[in-house]
Amino acid sequence: MPKSCCVRCTSRQWTAVRGGKKWNVQRPKPRVWKARVLESITRPIYVEDIVPISQSCEKLEITTQDTEVDEYEEFMYKQVKKMFDENTMILVCQMLSMPTVDKRKAINTMKDNGMRLWFYNNRLIRRAITEYSQYKNMAPWIIGSNVYVVCPEPKVKEALKILKKIPDFIVLGGLVENSLYSKDGLTHYSQLPNIEQLRGELVSVLNMAAGGKTHSLLESHQQTLCRNLTQYVKQETEGEDNS
């Protein structure tokens, strides 16, 4: 027999009769309006004590929160500063998603050519470039997942040649000998001859322009000064003899 039914006894037979609804405990019936009015009228009102500012300031407790220094983060920050101080070439590349095997292969390839790959947190790089005024323009490059190609010597041509074979590294720009270059600027820089060849070309141009008298022209001021000093000493000596 279901729970919602009850049994009614008659004189001749038993009859099953459906009972009433269950009591709804989730939605109790609201109280009558007279009880609610009485409750709102008789509810106590608590007056907040107003304390003068002069008295409240004396009771204030000054608490200092000690911030713990993350030693590992400070160590990595020193490594970032060391990277900027010890390397004349720092190329900033955007690194796409790549397998660990390809990443290790790229690290070994750079190491074999005298360069290194560094992976640093952008927060540490931004903190470092704020302390170096000449590096502040690097801020637009410090976004996303970056990798840094560093080398004590400006091997821009070799670095770009290797990066062309790594499609997951996109060159954004770089710092070469305290000068910032875009991607096109790095390409133009890599096409320039080395410094020794440029010096030789400069000497040959100066010799051709001066008709082979570059050495004599550079020493003309010193020779003129020596002649003037010799004449001055001679005049002073003749003046003392005449006196």
Side-chain angles (χ1 to χ4, degrees):
M1 183 180 295
K3 296 181 180 180
S4 60
C5 298
C6 61
V7 179
R8 180 182 298 177
C9 181
T10 59
S11 59
R12 296 183 180 181
Q13 61 183 358
W14 296 88
T15 305
V17 182
R18 185 179 296 276
K21 296 182 179 180
K22 293 182 180 180
W23 181 260
N24 188 359
V25 295
Q26 296 181 354
R27 279 187 167 184
K29 289 184 179 180
R31 302 175 66 184
V32 295
W33 69 273
K34 291 183 180 180
R36 286 181 288 172
V37 170
L38 180 62
E39 183 180 359
S40 61
I41 294 174
T42 57
R43 183 179 296 121
I45 300 174
Y46 300 98
V47 180
E48 184 179 359
D49 296 335
I50 301 176
V51 181
I53 299 177
S54 59
Q55 297 180 6
S56 62
C57 289
E58 296 177 357
K59 299 178 181 180
L60 291 178
E61 296 181 359
I62 301 175
T63 58
T64 58
Q65 184 178 3
D66 297 333
T67 58
E68 297 183 358
V69 179
D70 192 349
E71 296 182 359
Y72 177 74
E73 184 173 351
E74 292 298 323
F75 171 76
M76 295 302 298
Y77 177 65
K78 292 179 181 179
Q79 297 298 318
V80 171
K81 294 181 65 177
K82 187 177 180 181
M83 180 187 71
F84 280 100
D85 295 336
E86 296 183 354
N87 297 282
T88 59
M89 185 191 74
I90 302 175
L91 303 185
V92 184
C93 302
Q94 189 82 32
M95 185 180 67
L96 304 179
S97 179
M98 60 186 305
T100 307
V101 177
D102 295 342
K103 187 186 297 184
R104 175 56 58 184
K105 184 178 179 181
I107 293 173
N108 295 334
T109 304
M110 288 293 180
K111 189 175 182 180
D112 293 339
N113 290 271
M115 292 171 281
R116 299 289 299 272
L117 282 179
W118 290 109
F119 304 87
Y120 288 117
N121 193 340
N122 291 339
R123 183 178 65 258
L124 298 176
I125 299 295
R126 293 193 190 98
R127 180 182 170 186
I129 62 179
T130 53
E131 295 188 5
Y132 297 90
S133 59
Q134 65 270 29
Y135 303 150
K136 287 184 178 180
N137 292 329
M138 294 178 63
W141 299 337
I142 314 302
I143 53 174
S145 179
N146 290 343
V147 59
Y148 304 92
V149 182
V150 302
C151 182
E153 300 177 1
K155 297 181 178 181
V156 181
K157 186 176 182 179
E158 294 82 351
L160 293 179
K161 185 177 180 180
I162 297 173
L163 290 173
K164 285 182 179 179
K165 300 178 182 179
I166 307 175
D168 294 326
F169 288 169
I170 301 174
V171 181
L172 302 179
L175 175 70
V176 182
E177 294 181 342
N178 295 326
S179 298
L180 292 176
Y181 295 92
S182 62
K183 182 179 179 180
D184 296 335
L186 291 174
T187 304
H188 178 70
Y189 185 93
S190 64
Q191 297 173 355
L192 295 176
N194 54 21
I195 189 64
E196 298 297 333
Q197 184 177 353
L198 291 176
R199 288 173 180 173
E201 293 178 358
L202 177 61
V203 172
S204 62
V205 169
L206 291 175
N207 290 331
M208 292 175 60
K213 297 181 179 180
T214 305
H215 181 72
S216 61
L217 290 175
L218 291 175
E219 293 184 353
S220 61
H221 298 286
Q222 291 86 342
Q223 293 175 0
T224 303
L225 179 61
C226 291
R227 288 196 298 267
N228 293 335
L229 291 175
T230 303
Q231 184 65 24
Y232 177 76
V233 172
K234 185 178 179 181
Q235 292 177 0
E236 290 292 332
T237 305
E238 292 178 355
E240 291 178 357
D241 294 341
N242 295 330
S243 59

